[in-house]
Amino acid sequence: MAGTSTVVCASAVDENTSKPASIEIDIPIQAQAYGSAFFEETARLFEKLRPDVRVNLTGNARVHEKMRIRVMAGDLPDASDADLLYDKLIASDQVVDLAPYLDGPDWEGTGRWRDRFLPGVLNRWSRDGHVYSVPFAHAVWAIFYNKEMFAQHGWEAPQTWDEFFKLCEKIRAQGIAPMTLPGVYMRYGDSFLRAAYYNLVGPEGYRAYNELAPGTRSDPRFIRAAEVQQRAAVNFMVKGWEGMTHTAAEQAFLDGKSAMTVAGSWLGSEVRGKIPPGFSIGAMNFPVFPDGITHPDTLQAQSSYYFVFKKTDPAREQATVDFFRFLTSRERARAFARSQDATAALNETRITDFSDAMRDVAALIAKSPGSFDGGRPVSSAFLALMEQSMNDLRQQLMTGRITPQEYGERLEAAAQSQHIRELNPTSVRVKHRWKSVLLLLVLSLSIGWLGWEAAKRSRARRREGGVAFRAEGHLGRLHLPMASGFVGPALVLFGLLVILPGVQAFLWAFTRWDGVGGTRTAVGLFNFKWLLLESDTFWYALKNNLYIMVVPTLVVVPLSLLLATLIHRGVFGANFFRAVFLFPNLLGGIAATLLWMNAYDPHGGLVNASLVKIGAWLHNDWLSSFAAYPWLSQDNLYRALIPIYIWMACGFNLVLYLAAMQGIDPELYEAAEIDGAPAWRQFITITLPLIWDVLAISAVFIVVAGLNTFEMIWLLTSQDPISQSHVLSTLMVATMFKEFEVGRATAVAVIMFVLVLIGSAVVLRVMRQRDVVRD
């Protein structure tokens, strides 16, 4: 029962009991900064104490997307910490109220479970006396600094923002970059804004901000906080920070390229084993304003919260709660600190449980009177409606393209437009009328041209004796019963597993649904109208897809043809080069992208290091200027894609063209040589015409790949692209799993299907136009 808890201690159960588990609980968790090994170990220890329970705990870096699909399917696990629309799940009575359990005993039975947690950490998911979640891992946002460097120069931790920026000026005057920050994932910069804003407005004002209350973003206090964020980013970051991943930013800090870095306390877990000898990490809290209204020791925290979902079996609910009571026990909290060098949201850890790198963080927690949540806002409205606007405007603020005043005003306008949309959810503001007309006209003309070409080809065949042609087939006409026996079973399976789900998904495009609960609301063509007429992001994404289809192809196809021709002609080392050029395709998209992320590291990456060395050797200032160049910044991203696509696509197309060339009769080349035709003439008159069908297929692959591009953009933007960096696939995923607009995401998928189908058909028909002429 919810109002009772059973105290189970290690000594109360015989660990050798062989009784099979009668209860199985399913707990998918995040596996990012801390991994899943500690939690899996905890599950196995719990099973020894509770032999009647089997804990199926699985860690996955993409648990958020997987869980959202399960929520849509109505297949909720027993508990999870994935990012979901929990306020809607709570409203639909699918989340367990943990308040009665929290008022019961803790795991050891020495006090109330509620009293075990740090002050304020249970407030985030408290509603009218109910508590719907318990935290465990408790990261603290802080400014980490190089202790030796600070001691050497006599620098001290600042207390106010004015002192902080004066310190940054002193550091810069010594020829050292004051800070590093991962520009690929600019959300880290929001830690400045949150700290400054919370200090000015306090808990109530911060809650109003998260709930999109009118006026919170145009408030002068918000503008002051945005000024702090912009000043830190524009003036005091290491060169090239805009193209740094969070790993690269941490490494630059450890390499002494900056005096400070901003991160959560997961930094200790991530840099373990990487800290150079003699390097000591210190941690300071964010400064405050002299007129701030909160305590200067208040921390900006980010806890991982676990939710227990309601099940019809009360024994499963009790077992799940007992597992979390065990996870938050004194022994497990200290084990987490020792094994992960990370803090938990509990009063049980000691400073000696941490490494030297994290003891300053532990000291900050020990003296803090409380904390506010620096993670993503609780409000699902904020998550679903402001995500993309925040991404876009944050990038402009932190690169100095807009002022803090403009930042606040534009965010306020975005928030208010979303409030208006909530009142009239099917309204469409027309912004791209002529683009939409042009796109629909091109698609209509393409369909009409394809139909006319098909009809013309059919008439031509009938004129040339189509009946006689069919009769000449050595197998003749395949009768329906026999044809059904051959293709029937496969067609039934294909229909059940592909066609029917596809049709159902197609119908979702005409509905509005957040994927959590309730019924789908029919909205007709609204999703398509919104994408075509109002969405700026859709048109950016479509433009980027066209760029990927066209620009790299202008290099890939000619280069692949040249290399295939050289190998076909028997250039020295042909087999070696064939294997080398095909190697990138063996890696797979994800592995290749991660490799290039390291190569594009502004500091120490292979690309910049090579360009700078070549520039020094040639005394070329332009090449030397690529030192610390931010290739992976949102501004340079698509230029950086060209070498990646050439590297990855050349091998596949080379093998495709080479296979076609090897099927050409060598006597044709011999005859051409006898006639005195040079090699280039042989290529144009023999090779190119005879591999034209393969070129057509290659062109279709290029169209499909260009429109279906996903992994590379998603990874290179740390799964957080701004509007100008989206492609259609990333827009679809973001719309589905970040904005929770299932119908709109399906509409994007339908548009992609139409574009791929028509684009492939047009390219194939154009490439094979000569066959029509020949016929």
Side-chain angles (χ1 to χ4, degrees):
M1 295 178 61
T4 62
S5 286
T6 303
V7 180
V8 182
C9 299
S11 60
V13 179
D14 181 4
E15 294 186 9
N16 297 320
T17 301
S18 59
K19 181 180 178 181
S22 59
I23 302 172
E24 287 195 13
I25 57 177
D26 178 22
I27 307 178
I29 66 169
Q30 298 183 53
Q32 294 176 338
Y34 308 113
S36 59
F38 169 82
F39 299 96
E40 291 170 0
E41 176 191 50
T42 301
R44 303 292 81 81
L45 291 173
F46 179 74
E47 289 171 349
K48 290 181 179 180
L49 300 174
R50 288 287 303 271
D52 59 323
V53 179
R54 171 67 179 171
V55 182
N56 296 321
L57 188 145
T58 55
N60 192 293
R62 299 186 64 182
V63 69
H64 310 301
E65 291 86 349
K66 293 177 181 293
M67 272 297 300
R68 287 162 192 167
I69 292 173
R70 292 186 63 174
V71 170
M72 290 169 59
D75 178 28
L76 289 170
D78 291 278
S80 182
D81 63 342
D83 287 339
L84 301 172
L85 291 179
Y86 284 112
D87 52 349
K88 292 196 174 184
L89 289 170
I90 291 169
S92 60
D93 197 32
Q94 297 184 70
V95 180
V96 174
D97 176 17
L98 298 174
Y101 294 107
L102 288 164
D103 290 329
D106 56 26
W107 180 255
E108 291 84 359
T110 57
R112 286 196 313 169
W113 189 22
R114 179 189 298 272
D115 297 333
R116 174 145 296 181
F117 295 93
L118 291 172
V121 295
L122 293 175
N123 294 341
R124 186 182 188 193
W125 287 103
S126 297
R127 304 285 188 278
D128 301 323
H130 305 285
V131 182
Y132 292 100
S133 182
V134 291
F136 183 67
H138 183 70
V140 172
W141 283 93
I143 301 173
F144 295 90
Y145 63 94
N146 185 328
K147 278 188 173 181
E148 280 70 25
M149 187 181 292
F150 267 57
Q152 178 183 353
H153 293 88
W155 300 328
E156 296 182 355
Q159 301 300 312
T160 67
W161 286 112
D162 286 340
E163 292 175 0
F164 175 76
F165 288 121
K166 288 179 181 178
L167 171 63
C168 290
E169 295 283 1
K170 292 178 182 178
I171 296 172
R172 190 170 61 181
Q174 296 296 321
I176 304 169
M179 288 180 286
T180 61
L181 199 70
V184 171
Y185 194 68
M186 284 194 178
R187 288 180 186 274
Y188 274 55
D190 286 351
S191 58
F192 288 100
L193 178 106
R194 291 190 298 262
Y197 186 60
Y198 184 86
N199 176 238
L200 289 171
V201 300
E204 294 303 320
Y206 192 71
R207 184 180 299 111
Y209 162 77
N210 281 340
E211 293 175 354
L212 301 181
T216 52
R217 285 157 182 77
S218 57
D219 187 317
R221 294 170 294 183
F222 181 83
I223 306 304
R224 286 178 67 187
E227 287 173 352
V228 169
Q229 182 178 7
Q230 184 178 67
R231 188 176 177 186
V234 172
N235 298 319
F236 301 115
M237 294 298 165
V238 68
K239 184 180 179 182
W241 73 274
E242 302 94 334
M244 282 184 169
T245 63
H246 84 281
T247 303
E250 291 170 357
Q251 190 61 50
F253 170 62
L254 295 178
D255 290 341
K257 292 183 172 66
S258 72
M260 298 178 286
T261 190
V262 176
S265 54
W266 54 77
L267 177 76
S269 179
E270 292 180 341
V271 303
R272 180 182 300 178
K274 302 177 184 178
I275 301 176
F279 191 100
S280 181
I281 298 178
M284 67 178 85
N285 195 12
F286 286 89
V288 296
F289 289 104
D291 56 343
I293 64 174
T294 60
H295 194 284
D297 291 329
T298 301
L299 295 176
Q300 180 180 170
Q302 184 172 330
S303 298
S304 59
Y305 285 85
Y306 293 88
F307 297 79
V308 178
F309 300 104
K310 287 190 174 180
K311 297 291 181 180
T312 56
D313 183 1
R316 287 181 64 178
E317 179 182 313
Q318 181 67 59
T320 305
V321 172
D322 283 344
F323 171 75
F324 285 107
R325 289 171 55 243
F326 176 65
L327 176 65
T328 55
S329 65
R330 183 176 298 109
E331 186 276 329
R332 287 285 83 198
R334 296 192 64 187
F336 181 72
R338 290 191 296 266
S339 65
Q340 301 297 317
D341 205 16
T343 54
L346 302 160
N347 292 310
E348 306 300 333
T349 55
R350 304 170 185 171
I351 290 181
T352 55
D353 292 330
F354 301 93
S355 70
D356 291 340
M358 286 294 106
R359 288 186 179 179
D360 279 8
V361 173
L364 289 176
I365 294 174
K367 72 174 184 178
S368 174
S371 64
F372 70 98
D373 200 285
R376 292 189 176 188
V378 174
S379 169
S380 64
F382 192 107
L383 281 173
L385 304 176
M386 293 295 293
E387 189 88 4
Q388 196 62 58
S389 296
M390 283 288 292
N391 281 354
D392 297 344
L393 293 171
R394 178 192 302 113
Q395 194 262 351
Q396 295 179 46
L397 174 74
M398 294 181 67
T399 54
R401 296 180 181 177
I402 58 175
T403 65
Q405 183 72 35
E406 291 172 325
Y407 178 66
E409 291 173 353
R410 294 182 188 183
L411 276 179
E412 184 68 27
Q416 294 312 310
S417 68
Q418 298 301 347
H419 281 304
I420 294 171
R421 185 173 302 284
E422 287 181 334
L423 299 175
N424 188 6
T426 58
S427 64
V428 176
R429 185 158 56 102
V430 178
K431 297 166 61 178
H432 304 285
R433 185 190 305 276
W434 295 112
K435 288 182 182 178
S436 302
V437 170
L438 180 60
L439 177 62
L440 294 175
L441 180 62
V442 169
L443 293 177
S444 300
L445 290 175
S446 298
I447 293 171
W449 179 74
L450 289 170
W452 179 75
E453 283 289 322
K456 186 174 71 171
R457 190 177 181 87
S458 177
R459 287 195 301 270
R461 284 180 172 170
R462 283 199 298 270
R463 285 197 302 269
E464 295 176 5
V467 175
F469 173 78
R470 288 194 299 270
E472 290 173 0
H474 65 281
L475 291 178
R477 180 183 291 275
L478 192 62
H479 296 288
L480 181 60
M482 184 176 292
S484 300
F486 279 115
V487 303
L491 186 61
V492 169
L493 286 175
F494 186 76
L496 290 175
L497 300 178
V498 178
I499 296 178
L500 287 181
V503 171
Q504 182 182 24
F506 179 83
L507 295 177
W508 284 3
F510 302 95
T511 64
R512 191 166 183 265
W513 184 43
D514 59 20
V516 174
T519 58
R520 300 181 184 89
T521 304
V523 293
L525 295 173
F526 163 72
N527 290 317
F528 296 97
K529 290 179 180 177
W530 190 90
L531 288 169
L532 294 173
L533 296 174
E534 182 171 343
S535 175
D536 297 327
T537 309
F538 171 81
W539 290 103
Y540 286 128
L542 183 58
K543 181 191 72 173
N544 290 334
N545 278 110
L546 293 174
Y547 177 93
I548 292 172
M549 276 196 298
V550 174
V551 176
T553 304
L554 295 176
V555 180
V556 168
V557 172
L559 183 58
S560 299
L561 275 173
L562 173 63
L563 295 173
T565 302
L566 292 174
I567 293 174
H568 182 236
R569 287 284 181 175
V571 69
F572 177 76
N575 291 331
F576 171 77
F577 287 118
R578 185 187 313 185
V580 168
F581 289 127
L582 187 60
F583 172 73
N585 296 95
L586 303 179
L587 290 177
I590 295 177
T593 303
L594 294 176
L595 188 152
W596 277 93
M597 286 179 73
N598 288 321
Y600 277 137
D601 181 2
H603 297 273
L606 178 64
V607 174
N608 284 351
S610 300
L611 291 173
V612 170
K613 286 184 178 180
I614 294 172
W617 181 58
L618 297 176
H619 303 288
N620 186 298
D621 293 338
W622 179 72
L623 289 174
S624 299
S625 68
F626 281 96
Y629 188 78
W631 287 100
L632 296 182
S633 69
Q634 303 276 6
D635 295 333
N636 300 324
L637 179 64
Y638 279 86
R639 288 191 289 273
L641 287 180
I642 296 176
I644 304 178
Y645 266 92
I646 293 172
W647 184 74
M648 292 184 65
C650 269
F652 174 77
N653 287 283
L654 181 151
V655 172
L656 202 64
Y657 301 155
L658 183 59
M661 290 177 185
Q662 290 175 338
I664 299 174
D665 189 349
E667 293 182 357
L668 296 174
Y669 293 107
E670 292 174 5
E673 288 178 359
I674 292 172
D675 290 340
W680 66 268
R681 187 64 178 268
Q682 293 177 35
F683 176 79
I684 294 175
T685 58
I686 298 175
T687 306
L688 206 55
L690 291 178
I691 68 167
W692 194 260
D693 286 344
V694 176
L695 284 174
I697 294 171
S698 173
V700 172
F701 285 159
I702 289 170
V703 170
V704 173
L707 287 171
N708 287 337
T709 297
F710 172 72
E711 291 173 342
M712 196 174 297
I713 304 299
W714 196 242
L715 291 174
L716 291 177
T717 58
S718 291
Q719 305 175 32
D720 208 29
I722 62 172
S723 291
Q724 291 87 340
S725 297
H726 268 297
V727 289
L728 290 175
S729 294
T730 59
L731 174 61
M732 178 184 68
V733 171
T735 304
M736 175 78 80
F737 296 124
K738 290 188 175 183
E739 299 179 11
F740 305 99
E741 291 284 354
V742 177
R744 188 181 300 166
T746 309
V748 176
V750 170
I751 292 173
M752 288 177 61
F753 171 77
V754 171
L755 291 175
V756 168
L757 183 65
I758 295 176
S760 300
V762 168
V763 169
L764 195 61
R765 184 70 263 153
V766 170
M767 295 292 288
R768 290 184 171 175
Q769 187 68 28
R770 68 183 190 89
D771 293 337
V772 176
V773 175
R774 184 181 65 189
D775 290 343

